[in-house]
Amino acid sequence: MNPRRRRLRRFVPAALLALAAARPAVATTPAELFEGGNSAYEEGRLEQAAAAYEKILGYGIRDPRVHYNLANACFKMGRLGTAILHYEKARRLDPADPDIRDNLEYARGLIRDRVEAPEVPYPIRAIMAVVDPLSIDRMTSVFLAFYLLTGGLVGAIPLAQDPVRRKVLIYCALALGIGAAVAAGGLAYKIHATTAPHAVVMRDKADVLSGPGEDNTVLFTVHEGTLLEVRSRRGGWYQVSLPNALSGWIPAGTVEQV
Amino acid sequence: MRRRAVLMALLGWAAAADSLVAQEVFVRAQVDRSRIAQEDEVILSVEIAAPSFDQAAPPDVSPIQDFEILGGPSLSSRFQWINGRTSSTRTYSYALRPRKIGTLTIPALGLLIQGRTYHTEAVRVEVMAGGPQGSGPAGPGRLGPQRGPARPPSGGARPAGGPGVQLRAEVDTRTAYVGQQITLRVLLDTQTEVLNLGLKEAPTFPGFWAEEIKLPENLDLKRVQRGNEVYSEYTLLKRALFPTSSGTLTIPAMTYQVQVRRRSPDPIESFFFTPTETLTRQTEPLVITVQPLPEASRPAGFSGAVGQFNLSVGADRREARVNDAVGVKVKIAGEGNLNAVNALALPELGDFKRYAPKVSSSVAFQGDRLRSERVWDYVLIPLAPGDQAIPPVTFAYFDPRAGEYRRLSSPAIPIRVARGEETPGGPGIVVSQSDVRPLRQDIRYIKQAPGNLRDRSSFFYRSPGFAALVLLPIAADLGIFAYVRRRDRRHANARQRRERRARSQARRRLRDARRRMSPAGARAFYAEVAQALTEYVADKFDVSAAGLTHERIEELLLARHAPPQVRAAFHRCLEACDYALFAPASSGEGEMQRTLVRAEETLAALERSIAA
């Protein structure tokens, strides 16, 4: 551990203690902050609610419910871009939650840009439909279950004396092996979908240029809330692309990475 | 008057010359009266008959010095079709007031028509000093001596413009909001008997929605006094006008033709004929300033109605059964125009099936104000039992008198819905189901219960545990394979050793048997020989000697392709031993010796054949 980090570790709890001592009435634990944010939201004090949720995230607690509630508060305040950013973050952490999915879909319906995604062929679409609502950890468990069972069966084959039993074991291991391979593919897709860098447009309107510099041609314009895939970064510019294959460079300040 | 003018024109042209055809240009100036008082006005008409007025300019009136030009030019046109020829006439009219007394002259006026200048003749007007008898509206008696050409239509409803016949248009207000009623009346004031009258052309009201206000069969007569004169006033036309757009709108002038009785100074003429005169009178155009409805305070769901209205909502019953029809009547009535009002929708009701309403509307006039009524008849079918309610209906309108919007809201109507006739689940029950429809959309509510907030952004697949679990089966399987391979190899070695030792073991047993070869030890001898034979097969084939039967031995030998005579010899030898075991006394020492030799030979042959 480097000395700077050690110092920081010592400092953070001390600072928190000092804060707690100085302002005993102010909620400090994440649970209290969350409760406080929720009651502020219920009373319509949306700015305060958003501040409370942001503070929890500032503690490094990236819980999907915090992102979701923060997104709701931002949505009610009319900050569509921020709302979509946090709905996206919440969905990455908990893709199975129907509330997050619904609100994200509703908020996306209010974006000015409509981007047609290319048609996905059937078998992949079917696998995606199964995989999409699963969290990455759940997908990891599914893969491991298939994988470990296959491994166990493969190990049992040479131990079996009876040729019939051995044949049954070989077929079972083959079937489970195919399952494990599919689960591995699903997990790889999931990891890509969850960790691939994306960014949400935070300005009312942002121009996408042909290169990383103001003097390049404006290729197209995107509006607040549109989700872009980030392909590379150079200086203060992101190379982004849309699902319909449109691609270009956008100033990093106009977007926020998911 | 117009008819007379046409007649006169025709007579004039016929008398003048043949050259006066309609194709030619003909100009003329005339006044309505040749003798006037100083305060009076005189109407100068400049009439032009020409085939086309494409390049015609109004007359140049600058030479008129003796008169002050009060108004004009007002233009009227006439188009005629006589004997296959067309003729059009255009008349410019001016109102003039004399500047002095005496015989004044309106000089010849020049007109530029189709590049040529035409001149009217000078007209004389005798102006007398002002006096009651000379001034004022020209009485019928004045008309008598006035000979000459017919007078052109007067430029407006001027008091001095005709023989006591005046036409006026008036409105109740000159400023109004969009949609507010403006009542237009056209009045005729006359001092003579009106025999007949009619509008020259149907009136149009651009920029207004017009509703006709019906007049009684017999025109209302009212006596009014203007100055010293008493007039009979008739209301000729009434319209309720509703401006459809804001800005400055104009109600155009309307022209009436009025046929009046002319009093003739000639008693004989008066006795035998009814001398009549047709006058043309025109109203003044009226300018209305229309204000837009205030934008700022416009309530949501403003219906567009302007006026004063009442809202009533009623249901024909307060208790109903499921699937019964409940009639709901939404009625808006009041002063104002409801034609432009959008459909007033009863809000969507979740537990009722709502049919499209029957809309009926009616208008009537109360006094001169338009009263409208609009009724929406809804039929609702309750779908679920329980205490339901028809929610409040709101109606927003603009009150032009107060200059502000008003909002009416009906109270909610509770309706108790009982279950239908049949009990649920009974036979033949028909339930009309309806989809649950979303009324409007919003985001879903925030999440509660933060008891277990934690950072969920670290994923298991990145942890060392995941790598360990992935490597575990690979390592375990490799271990299992290695173990099985080693075990098999060891097993194979043991078998080979046993096989190799089979022959020597058998020899050792036969040697033991030879040692026991005595009549007393016959049983032990045969047992030893049988064991030597079976143990040899067991060792050779790596099986247990305990369960070896003749059949099993036959199988094993066949599997190693032992020749049939060897197999037969083997079995014979073994059977001989078995037999001797049960009857040991029957065999002597010689027999034992033979058995032993046969066993040794069989084993040798077997060893050879199996090895081969």
Side-chain angles (χ1 to χ4, degrees), chain A residues 34-35 38 41-42 60-63 65-66 68-69 72 75-76 93 97 99 102-103 106 136-137 140 144 147-148 151 154-155 158-159 161 191 195, chain B residues 441-462 466 469-474 476-477 480-481 483-484 487:
Chain A
F34 194 84
E35 283 291 358
N38 280 8
Y41 183 96
E42 279 158 18
I61 296 173
R62 276 165 288 174
D63 191 288
R65 290 164 294 182
V66 180
Y68 172 83
N69 286 8
N72 267 15
F75 184 89
K76 290 278 179 192
L93 297 173
D97 191 311
D99 293 342
D102 270 24
N103 282 8
Y106 181 55
I136 197 158
D137 280 352
T140 308
L144 279 178
Y147 178 75
L148 291 176
V154 168
L159 295 176
Q161 296 289 335
I191 289 172
T195 58
Chain B
Q441 267 199 309
D442 195 7
I443 53 170
R444 295 201 188 182
Y445 204 59
I446 51 169
K447 304 257 180 211
Q448 303 291 338
N452 51 353
L453 282 183
R454 63 185 174 87
D455 184 19
R456 303 242 304 250
S457 60
S458 56
F459 297 116
F460 179 62
Y461 80 93
R462 286 178 181 155
F466 177 76
L469 281 174
V470 169
L471 291 176
L472 176 73
I474 297 173
D477 286 357
I480 289 171
F481 284 134
Y483 161 73
V484 168
R487 187 196 65 181

Side-chain angles (χ1 to χ4, degrees), chain B residues 122-383:
Chain B
V123 181
R124 283 169 194 280
V125 178
E126 195 179 330
V127 181
M128 298 172 295
Q133 74 280 7
S135 65
R142 289 266 178 93
L143 285 168
Q146 192 191 343
R147 311 274 317 162
R151 283 166 302 168
S154 84
R158 292 174 206 290
V165 177
Q166 296 172 23
L167 191 65
R168 284 187 292 130
E170 58 178 42
V171 287
D172 57 348
T173 174
R174 292 281 186 146
T175 57
Y177 285 101
V178 171
Q180 185 184 356
Q181 180 178 342
I182 300 164
T183 312
L184 167 76
R185 294 199 303 155
V186 176
L187 302 165
L188 182 78
D189 292 345
T190 178
Q191 287 178 318
T192 63
E193 189 186 350
V194 175
L195 299 172
N196 208 348
L197 61 87
L199 263 169
K200 244 185 105 188
E201 52 210 11
T204 56
F205 304 100
F208 294 94
W209 170 284
E211 287 277 351
E212 184 178 355
I213 304 175
K214 286 265 182 287
L215 297 170
E217 282 289 313
N218 296 316
L219 292 182
D220 275 335
L221 173 66
K222 207 160 82 179
R223 297 272 173 201
V224 290
Q225 183 153 11
R226 297 198 194 286
N228 297 329
E229 306 289 329
V230 174
Y231 286 84
S232 305
E233 186 180 271
Y234 296 98
T235 302
L236 302 185
L237 175 140
K238 274 202 242 180
R239 287 281 191 280
L241 301 178
F242 299 91
T244 54
S245 58
S246 60
T248 307
L249 298 179
T250 306
I251 301 172
M254 279 167 283
T255 310
Y256 271 85
Q257 288 189 322
V258 189
Q259 193 182 33
V260 294
R261 184 188 292 275
R262 181 164 60 82
R263 215 171 285 164
S264 171
D266 181 355
I268 298 166
E269 190 191 0
S270 293
F271 187 79
F272 288 106
F273 305 103
T274 310
T276 63
E277 187 178 14
T278 302
L279 309 171
T280 300
R281 292 287 184 269
Q282 200 175 29
T283 63
E284 293 278 354
L286 298 169
V287 176
I288 310 286
T289 307
V290 182
Q291 297 172 311
L293 300 182
E295 277 294 339
S297 54
R298 182 169 299 182
F302 171 59
S303 59
V306 177
Q308 279 95 28
F309 298 98
N310 290 314
L311 168 73
S312 65
V313 179
D316 61 356
R317 55 173 82 184
R318 296 296 172 104
E319 286 184 359
R321 288 174 183 278
V322 171
N323 291 337
D324 280 0
V326 178
V328 175
K329 192 186 280 271
V330 180
K331 181 169 135 184
I332 294 170
E335 192 183 304
N337 185 10
L338 282 173
N339 278 310
V341 173
N342 312 327
L344 184 73
L346 200 62
E348 278 280 343
L349 301 166
D351 286 334
F352 288 93
K353 185 171 186 173
R354 194 187 72 179
Y355 290 96
K358 196 183 93 187
V359 185
S360 53
S361 46
S362 62
V363 291
F365 282 95
Q366 196 174 53
D368 286 343
R369 310 302 296 178
L370 181 77
R371 286 189 66 83
S372 304
E373 184 180 289
R374 212 158 221 229
V375 180
W376 287 264
D377 273 311
Y378 284 94
V379 175
L380 301 179
I381 308 285
L383 299 177

Side-chain angles (χ1 to χ4, degrees), chain A residues 30-221:
Chain A
E32 282 168 13
L33 279 170
F34 194 84
E35 283 291 358
N38 280 8
S39 45
Y41 183 96
E42 279 158 18
E43 290 159 22
R45 294 180 281 118
L46 297 170
E47 285 283 358
Q48 289 174 36
Y53 299 136
E54 268 164 0
K55 207 165 177 185
I56 302 173
L57 296 176
Y59 286 167
I61 296 173
R62 276 165 288 174
D63 191 288
R65 290 164 294 182
V66 180
H67 280 296
Y68 172 83
N69 286 8
L70 172 57
N72 267 15
C74 291
F75 184 89
K76 290 278 179 192
M77 287 189 285
R79 285 150 54 184
L80 188 62
T82 318
I84 287 178
L85 176 77
H86 285 286
Y87 283 135
E88 283 283 356
K89 285 184 172 178
R91 196 182 59 102
R92 285 186 170 204
L93 297 173
D94 189 359
D97 191 311
D99 293 342
I100 298 172
R101 232 177 26 231
D102 270 24
N103 282 8
L104 177 58
E105 202 171 304
Y106 181 55
R108 274 184 184 161
L110 304 176
I111 302 175
R112 279 197 48 202
D113 297 326
R114 190 183 55 204
V115 182
E116 295 286 345
E119 188 78 7
V120 180
Y122 170 71
I124 296 172
R125 204 167 62 228
I127 293 170
M128 276 166 67
V130 175
V131 169
D132 272 338
L134 294 178
S135 72
I136 197 158
D137 280 352
R138 186 70 50 82
M139 197 65 224
T140 308
S141 320
V142 169
F143 163 70
L144 279 178
F146 272 103
Y147 178 75
L148 291 176
L149 275 173
T150 310
L153 286 183
V154 168
I157 291 166
L159 295 176
Q161 296 289 335
D162 187 19
V164 178
R165 189 174 294 170
R166 189 175 281 196
K167 204 169 256 180
V168 169
L169 281 174
I170 289 172
Y171 282 126
C172 287
L174 217 63
L176 283 171
I178 292 170
V182 172
L187 179 61
Y189 161 75
K190 195 83 217 174
I191 289 172
H192 173 78
T194 310
T195 58
H198 280 88
V200 176
V201 180
M202 305 302 283
R203 299 276 170 83
D204 282 345
K205 200 177 138 191
D207 288 335
V208 180
L209 282 70
S210 61
E214 291 291 351
D215 47 352
N216 287 285
T217 317
V218 176
L219 298 177
F220 54 96
T221 305

